[in-house]
Amino acid sequence: MSATRIIDKKKLADFLETLSSDCEVIIPTVEDGNLLFSELGSSKLEDSFKGRPIVSPKEYLFPQKEKILAFDTTDKVNVDIKAYTNDKKRVIWGIRPCDLHGIKTLDAIYLSDFVDTYYQARRKNTIMMGLNCNEPCETCFCNSCQTGPFASEAYDVVFTDLGDKYLVKVGSDAGQEAVDKIPNLFAEATNDDEKKAGELEEKSKQSFQRKVDVDVAKQNLPESWDDALWAEESEMCILCGGCNFTCPTCHCFNIEDVQCGEKASIRMRYWDSCQLGGFTQMAAENTRENQAARLRQRIFHKYIYTPDKYDGAIGCTGCGRCIEVCPVNIDITHILGRVASK
Amino acid sequence: MQSKVLTTCEFCGCGCNFYLGVEDNSLTAVYPATSHPVSQGRLCVKGWMGHDYVNSYERLKTPLIKERGKFREASWDEAYKLIADKIQQTKSQYGSDSIAVFSSAKCTNEENYLLQKFARAVIGTNNVDHCARLCHASTVLGLSQTFGSGAMTNAIGEIGKAEVIFIIGSNTSEQHPLVASQIVAAVKKGAKLVVADPREIQLAKVATLYISQKPGTDVALINGMLNVIIAEDLLDKEFISQRTEGYDELKELVAGFTPEKTSEITGIPADKIIEAARIYAKGQASTIIYSMGITQHTTGVDNVISCANLAMLTGNVGKESTGVNPLRGQNNVQGACDMGALPNVYSGYQAVTNEELRQKFEKAWGVKLPAEVGVTVTDAINKIESKDIRTIYIMGENPIISDPDSNHTEQALKSLDFLAVQDIFLTETAKLADVVLPGVSFAEKNGTFTSTERKVQRVRKAIEPVGLSRPDWKIITELAAFLGYKMEYDSPSDIMDEIAKFTPSYGGISYDRLEEGGLCWPCPSADHPGTPYLHKEQFARPGGKGKFFAVPYRAPAELPDDEYPLTLTTGRIAFHWHTGTMTRKSWTLDREYPNGYVEINNNDAAKLGIRNKAMVKVTSRRGEITLQAKAVNTIQEGLLFIPFHFAEAAANKLTANNLDPVAKIPEYKVCAVKLEGV
């Protein structure tokens, strides 16, 4: 890939606007104090911001609700079936390293042994532009998960906020092509720029409030299977599903045929939560009979099953969302800490 | 392309905010508001997954008129004209008071204001009420008598900082999840939690003390606690002498409620009653949280007064993180009450019997107004048989499933001369109507809801009304026009301006200000910041003092006997809302709980030979239902619990219309039943 570059902060809008001529450009924006992903044009580009939107950008590849197909049974013999596809071209700018990593994990799940064509169609039309984290949030622990605060992979382009300009690194051909659309917006980065980015990364790494010994936790997890901690940690769970819905790597869904005409329906898929009692009911029952087993499943899935099944990398990005959205403060770092200290 | 619209949740009174993601006039996503003081980026399962009903195929899309027992589609004008003619006819033949109007705690403040105005100024009756009658009518009366204001005294955010939390009759984690969030946070910080409930609710697991009173013995329990507090001199004498009256009568009465005597009535061991009293009284900031377990009794008002007595005796009111905090169920039940959708008051609890206030509204609305207090929802149903009520107009309520003794309610509504229903679905109640008008969901209109902490917040339109449905406020104004009364507003913001003009506690509220976030009433002027907690310097009663009432213990109206040996209590679960009209059409929620069930103690189930998940028949003097048994160890022996969401196993076929004598709230929490296998 080409050399590291810089772009003046004021020019970022020009860059993204140029890209938006033939695709949708998504950016993080602050509305009424809430950080949200939003479409460029309908919202303003923030000069700088802390943290990540409460719902991860996975929804641009795997939406909260999605139309799979439509069918009409008016003619009972020749049922009319239409599949939905979505090949909208999209650039998402400002994806934090945790979320870049989340998408990498989803790629492994959705594009390997079983290819999810809906995900695939969106994924190949999406360019991911990351933004490194100069300041971690209170609930973040990406440093412990080795997914952040600065991205080392899984991006097309990644930006580092140097104050009045961004350091820009290209990570793929698609990223190169995007940057090359208006090369004159970018200048070669100097050694000072690179040095400053390095300093920011170091500073960011030093400012985490949470730390998890992932290796020890992983090692101890199998032993913890029958531990009382699962019941203790899950006893106040109110079954909201928020931990799953905001997780950048949770990928379970359910299907519902939704009536839309006399004999016509649309098959929808929508996010599901392994914390709910009705999740994957086999014959009659959820195989995980209580909340302790369901919480254990959530943690084991991230820290044992995902690395076992895929390339060894854990399925938790350390983004801290499940901590932030939990109404009763179920805290994955606290749980892993307990496991690690056994 | 997707747009995101910030709005207020349509389910409970917590008042959480989130963004609705909208594509192609459909709701496709939810984003919790991280900056909102209650939500803080958190939601319950209904907030996340409860909105599919909005785009349901079953939505009413056009007005319907019933002819020869069948509905046919009709134009708006045709439907309006028919309703207007029937109202006129009833009015001229039998008088305005033979018509009743049921407003809706699901609808906005603006709509509730307009509907009570419609009842009073257009029809000419004070017969307007809504489902608050069925949930917190006892709160409004009980707290008005003791404190002078019938609402939650403190803000939700203060609960997290309380030293002691006393929950009585509220399954907070299921009914007000984001309030439970504050309670859990407080406990983690070291607060002491006392839970009193006949069912061992989830929060009991983290309670310092859990006590299990027999249903309907709350007055005795609290009197017993008051007895201990007085006997052990744990009371706040300064507060009592300076800020209250009526202490001596209270002292005399509770002297009889020794821990032993209280134990006999409540079934709680005497030492636990003493412990509960000590924990509560020794806290520097103790807060009481209650809900339907207190209010839905024939002693509902007495129960509420007892809570107020407890708070005043220990000086736990008028300060941060203290108070008496009734958690309001519906998203806008606080607002529907505030707006005067009640038979005795105009907006802001201004009495219809007060001549000066009546004249104020006569001048504002340009008509002569009725001076007599109207009938309640529960009385209206009872007065159909005697032909005192002949026509009912219902906006967004489903009394057949929500009111006690469903069979009786259904018979009554069927015998009306005329019934008009404004709703978003053809509910069990709408099916009985002569005319049905399609209103819209919270996602299709602008307005405001007032949450349980008296916070007025914006509801914003995210999608266009489905089919030919119209915003409920618009329907009321258009129907008024057919009755020859002009209600001219360009938008709900205009209606709020009128509310603010004539409602002192809402005087400073406007849409412009609400753009900056919600405001807690009282908010009397445009520069007033709102009032997070009440009664700081003095109580809102005339004279400024809080008043103790000595309340004797009365047993529930219908106790178990040989024929009906079990007690039934009813309520909600976290996954559904009331009569299920909305939540049973939301995919995840329906999947979680597609059917009703009855909770029974394991020992009772074993005695009766009932296996877990077996189908059983539950029978009361009023009806019977068949549903699945759920055997648990978290409910008292002798007690059953049935959620009332499920029309096909409607708990309210069993409940009795035994009313609190003052508040007219039914005793949903206690009736006698028997259970047998099928």
Side-chain angles (χ1 to χ4, degrees):
Chain A
M1 290 302 141
S2 68
T4 306
R5 309 187 202 189
I6 56 151
I7 183 170
D8 194 294
K9 248 190 189 172
K10 290 186 206 108
K11 303 262 174 70
L12 178 66
D14 297 343
F15 173 56
L16 296 176
E17 264 157 35
T18 307
L19 296 180
S20 72
S21 64
D22 65 347
C23 72
E24 186 178 274
V25 175
I26 304 296
I27 54 162
T29 187
V30 179
E31 273 181 43
D32 295 308
N34 303 293
L35 184 62
L36 300 159
F37 282 113
S38 187
E39 199 178 338
L40 183 76
S42 66
S43 45
K44 70 177 195 310
L45 197 55
E46 302 296 331
D47 188 48
S48 74
F49 63 92
K50 184 182 167 180
R52 67 284 174 279
I54 196 70
V55 173
S56 89
K58 81 173 174 192
E59 65 165 332
Y60 290 101
L61 306 169
F62 169 47
Q64 295 192 30
K65 280 187 192 178
E66 172 177 27
K67 290 175 181 168
I68 298 287
L69 55 88
F71 58 95
D72 192 317
T73 56
T74 310
D75 181 342
K76 281 183 183 153
V77 181
N78 300 305
V79 174
D80 184 24
I81 305 178
K82 182 187 103 186
Y84 287 93
T85 50
N86 190 320
D87 50 8
K88 184 187 264 181
K89 283 198 185 323
R90 206 177 254 146
V91 169
I92 311 175
W93 182 86
I95 307 176
R96 294 300 192 181
C98 52
D99 289 339
L100 290 168
H101 203 271
I103 291 165
K104 187 185 165 211
T105 306
L106 289 179
D107 285 352
I109 292 160
Y110 272 147
L111 301 177
S112 55
D113 47 349
F114 168 80
V115 175
D116 184 295
T117 52
Y118 295 90
Y119 181 90
Q120 188 183 39
R122 290 194 172 87
R123 182 67 183 87
K124 72 172 189 220
N125 284 301
T126 304
I127 295 177
M128 300 199 299
M129 300 201 176
L131 176 62
N132 287 326
C133 263
N134 291 357
E135 196 184 353
C137 297
E138 191 270 318
T139 56
C140 294
F141 57 104
C142 62
N143 198 19
S144 302
C145 298
Q146 295 179 355
T147 60
F150 276 47
S152 55
E153 55 173 354
Y155 55 81
D156 293 304
V157 185
V158 69
F159 292 69
T160 305
D161 186 345
L162 300 181
D164 54 354
K165 59 193 170 188
Y166 290 104
L167 188 80
V168 183
K169 281 185 179 172
V170 172
S172 73
D173 293 341
Q176 189 66 56
E177 204 180 305
V179 168
D180 285 346
K181 278 195 176 163
I182 20 177
N184 59 359
L185 287 178
F186 298 88
E188 290 286 318
T190 64
N191 284 343
D192 277 357
D193 294 328
E194 301 247 27
K195 197 174 147 218
K196 186 160 184 206
E199 284 164 10
L200 286 168
E201 183 174 359
E202 264 324 295
K203 194 174 156 221
S204 181
K205 280 181 177 168
Q206 300 309 319
S207 39
F208 280 84
Q209 296 175 39
R210 288 167 194 266
K211 189 177 181 318
V212 175
D213 196 332
V214 169
D215 289 338
V216 179
K218 258 172 79 177
Q219 207 181 327
N220 292 0
L221 267 173
E223 292 285 306
S224 77
W225 184 266
D226 293 318
D227 201 290
L229 80 91
W230 303 110
E232 289 161 15
E233 296 292 335
S234 63
E235 70 176 356
M236 283 295 109
C237 176
I238 61 161
L239 307 175
C240 71
C243 49
N244 297 120
F245 302 146
T246 56
C247 176
T249 69
C250 273
H251 51 274
C252 288
F253 57 84
N254 197 13
I255 298 282
E256 180 86 11
D257 288 345
V258 181
Q259 192 182 5
C260 64
E262 193 72 16
K263 301 268 180 182
S265 294
I266 293 178
R267 179 160 296 177
M268 303 289 296
R269 81 160 163 189
Y270 59 101
W271 290 358
D272 206 346
S273 161
C274 59
Q275 301 307 294
L276 299 179
F279 180 77
T280 57
Q281 292 187 37
M282 306 295 178
E285 297 292 327
N286 186 328
T287 51
R288 298 174 201 111
E289 63 175 353
N290 54 38
Q291 218 48 44
R294 292 168 201 159
L295 173 63
R296 184 177 62 202
Q297 163 66 15
R298 177 160 76 86
I299 310 299
F300 269 62
H301 198 172
K302 304 293 173 206
Y303 282 83
I304 304 286
Y305 309 145
T306 300
D308 275 1
K309 187 148 196 254
Y310 303 101
D311 59 359
I314 55 169
C316 173
T317 71
C319 71
R321 286 187 179 93
C322 58
I323 305 169
E324 189 179 342
V325 301
C326 181
V328 295
N329 311 314
I330 297 172
D331 182 337
I332 191 171
T333 61
H334 175 72
I335 294 168
L336 293 169
R338 281 186 73 177
V339 171
S341 67
K342 291 276 172 193
Chain B
M1 158 186 179
Q2 190 214 45
S3 59
K4 292 185 175 80
V5 179
L6 180 63
T7 194
T8 302
C9 185
E10 79 276 36
F11 290 108
C12 83
C14 288
C16 294
N17 275 20
F18 49 67
Y19 289 81
L20 287 170
V22 180
E23 271 171 287
D24 301 332
N25 215 42
S26 287
L27 305 183
T28 56
V30 170
Y31 308 88
T34 49
S35 69
H36 188 265
V38 173
S39 321
Q40 299 175 63
R42 301 154 173 198
L43 294 172
C44 77
V45 71
K46 293 188 291 296
W48 276 110
M49 287 285 162
H51 318 291
D52 302 322
Y53 72 91
V54 170
N55 294 106
S56 165
Y57 182 68
E58 292 174 54
R59 281 284 303 274
L60 289 169
K61 296 179 192 80
T62 170
L64 302 171
I65 290 177
K66 199 179 269 168
E67 277 174 359
R68 290 183 292 280
K70 279 193 172 163
F71 284 118
R72 66 162 175 87
E73 294 188 354
S75 74
W76 276 99
D77 282 1
E78 199 182 1
Y80 284 144
K81 186 163 185 313
L82 180 57
I83 298 171
D85 286 351
K86 292 288 180 182
I87 286 177
Q88 282 297 10
Q89 211 178 313
T90 313
K91 210 171 139 174
S92 56
Q93 227 171 325
Y94 305 105
S96 298
D97 286 338
S98 60
I99 303 169
V101 174
F102 295 178
S103 199
S104 175
K106 273 266 155 288
C107 289
T108 63
N109 283 321
E110 292 74 6
E111 288 157 351
N112 277 284
Y113 177 83
L114 286 191
L115 197 61
Q116 60 94 30
K117 180 174 173 179
F118 178 83
R120 294 181 161 122
V122 184
I123 299 178
T125 180
N126 283 316
N127 291 346
V128 56
D129 199 14
H130 72 286
C131 72
R133 186 65 47 204
L134 312 174
C135 66
H136 273 293
S138 17
T139 293
V140 174
L141 286 165
L143 291 187
S144 300
Q145 289 173 42
T146 49
F147 294 167
S149 175
M152 193 163 161
T153 56
N154 292 59
I156 293 172
E158 295 172 31
I159 298 168
K161 292 173 255 165
E163 239 179 68
V164 175
I165 299 167
F166 177 39
I167 306 176
I168 180 164
S170 155
N171 185 0
T172 324
S173 340
E174 296 222 34
Q175 320 313 354
H176 297 88
L178 273 291
V179 173
S181 176
Q182 291 280 336
I183 295 167
V184 171
V187 169
K188 285 207 172 166
K189 276 191 273 178
K192 292 198 166 112
L193 173 64
V194 178
V195 173
D197 201 297
R199 295 164 71 214
E200 194 180 336
I201 58 170
Q202 190 179 24
L203 282 166
K205 290 186 198 165
V206 290
T208 316
L209 176 67
Y210 165 61
I211 47 180
S212 181
Q213 76 275 39
K214 286 183 195 150
T217 62
D218 307 87
V219 166
L221 168 60
I222 296 176
N223 279 348
M225 290 170 70
L226 297 172
N227 174 297
V228 174
I229 291 167
I230 293 170
E232 299 193 359
D233 201 23
L234 298 171
L235 61 179
D236 187 334
K237 289 186 189 117
E238 195 185 324
F239 188 89
I240 295 167
S241 68
Q242 290 180 4
R243 298 207 44 193
T244 69
E245 55 196 45
Y247 171 65
D248 293 338
E249 291 85 340
L250 179 81
K251 187 178 173 186
E252 198 179 320
L253 180 115
V254 303
F257 286 83
T258 59
E260 292 70 30
K261 165 95 184 295
T262 307
S263 175
E264 270 171 40
I265 302 171
T266 59
I268 303 169
D271 60 326
K272 302 269 185 188
I273 296 166
I274 296 170
E275 194 185 343
R278 285 178 184 160
I279 295 173
Y280 177 81
K282 286 180 180 171
Q284 290 304 306
S286 296
T287 183
I288 301 171
I289 289 172
Y290 75 77
S291 202
M292 305 295 94
I294 282 291
T295 60
Q296 289 178 334
H297 288 281
T298 45
T299 55
V301 174
D302 290 351
N303 288 347
V304 171
I305 287 172
S306 299
C307 292
N309 285 342
L310 183 59
M312 288 190 290
L313 193 70
T314 53
N316 275 306
V317 61
K319 291 188 297 189
E320 201 177 7
S321 301
T322 64
V324 177
N325 295 298
L327 303 179
R328 306 299 302 251
Q330 295 271 18
N331 54 324
N332 197 35
V333 67
Q334 183 64 56
C337 291
D338 298 346
M339 291 303 106
L342 295 170
N344 59 332
V345 289
Y346 303 112
S347 59
Y349 307 94
Q350 302 176 79
V352 297
T353 48
N354 179 315
E355 199 170 331
E356 201 180 316
L357 295 170
R358 196 167 62 247
Q359 280 171 1
K360 176 172 99 171
F361 281 97
E362 284 177 345
K363 205 172 150 211
W365 296 343
V367 288
K368 188 97 185 108
L369 292 172
E372 272 167 35
V373 170
V375 299
T376 62
V377 163
T378 40
D379 275 346
I381 299 289
N382 291 335
K383 285 186 169 185
I384 297 171
E385 214 176 334
S386 60
K387 295 283 177 195
D388 289 321
I389 294 293
R390 290 172 175 268
T391 288
I392 296 186
Y393 188 96
I394 301 178
M395 172 172 80
E397 283 205 351
N398 188 11
I400 289 185
I401 309 300
S402 62
D403 288 17
D405 195 356
S406 296
N407 293 333
H408 172 245
T409 308
E410 185 172 346
Q411 285 314 314
L413 291 178
K414 276 182 178 164
S415 63
L416 280 168
D417 291 358
F418 186 74
L419 174 65
V421 173
Q422 179 179 337
D423 209 303
I424 61 173
F425 289 107
L426 197 62
T427 62
E428 291 74 11
T429 303
K431 281 178 190 156
L432 300 186
D434 298 289
V435 182
V436 180
L437 301 178
V440 300
S441 74
F442 84 122
E444 295 149 82
K445 60 190 172 192
N446 285 308
T448 58
F449 293 155
T450 304
S451 75
T452 187
E453 57 178 340
R454 296 172 277 103
K455 187 181 270 184
V456 186
Q457 306 189 96
R458 273 302 310 276
V459 176
R460 293 183 183 85
K461 181 177 165 182
I463 61 171
E464 291 302 320
V466 304
L468 298 176
S469 67
R470 292 181 183 175
D472 299 82
W473 65 270
K474 199 100 190 160
I475 295 173
I476 302 164
T477 60
E478 289 169 352
L479 182 58
F482 270 81
L483 282 155
Y485 186 91
K486 270 190 187 170
M487 287 189 183
E488 287 175 330
Y489 308 95
D490 285 341
S491 69
S493 171
D494 283 356
I495 306 169
M496 181 51 84
D497 291 343
E498 181 175 320
I499 294 167
K501 195 167 164 193
F502 299 111
T503 314
S505 53
Y506 278 65
I509 291 173
S510 67
Y511 276 36
D512 278 351
R513 285 192 74 190
L514 293 176
E515 282 306 305
E516 304 300 313
L519 288 164
C520 292
W521 65 256
C523 178
S525 59
D527 55 357
H528 191 285
T531 312
Y533 66 91
L534 303 175
H535 317 303
K536 190 176 178 182
E537 307 291 338
Q538 53 175 6
F539 284 97
R541 285 180 72 241
K545 290 213 166 167
K547 181 158 187 191
F548 287 108
F549 286 87
V551 279
Y553 166 70
R554 282 186 290 127
E558 189 183 76
L559 289 168
D561 53 20
D562 289 346
E563 199 184 345
Y564 297 99
L566 300 167
T567 300
L568 170 68
T569 191
T570 67
R572 291 199 282 117
I573 57 174
F575 290 88
H576 283 294
W577 191 261
H578 288 202
T579 70
T581 310
M582 306 189 301
T583 49
R584 296 190 79 188
K585 295 181 186 76
S586 291
W587 316 330
T588 301
L589 306 180
D590 179 51
R591 180 194 72 184
E592 291 300 306
Y593 281 94
N595 301 306
Y597 63 87
V598 52
E599 223 174 77
I600 181 171
N601 183 281
N602 283 323
N603 295 335
D604 288 335
K607 263 186 253 163
L608 293 164
I610 304 291
R611 281 179 304 108
N612 188 30
K613 300 202 173 171
M615 292 305 283
V616 295
K617 186 168 86 177
V618 184
T619 312
S620 77
R621 289 184 175 83
R622 292 149 298 274
E624 60 174 57
I625 58 174
T626 302
L627 69 181
Q628 206 174 46
K630 190 173 174 186
V632 297
N633 60 10
T634 50
I635 191 167
Q636 278 174 11
E637 285 186 38
L639 183 62
L640 303 177
F641 168 78
I642 303 180
F644 70 95
H645 311 297
F646 305 93
E648 67 281 11
N652 284 322
K653 283 194 174 162
L654 308 175
T655 53
N657 199 9
N658 293 321
L659 306 181
D660 179 288
V662 201
K664 308 287 183 189
I665 192 169
E667 192 152 55
Y668 289 108
K669 297 298 185 199
V670 185
C671 76
V673 295
K674 64 180 173 191
L675 180 144
E676 57 208 313
V678 291

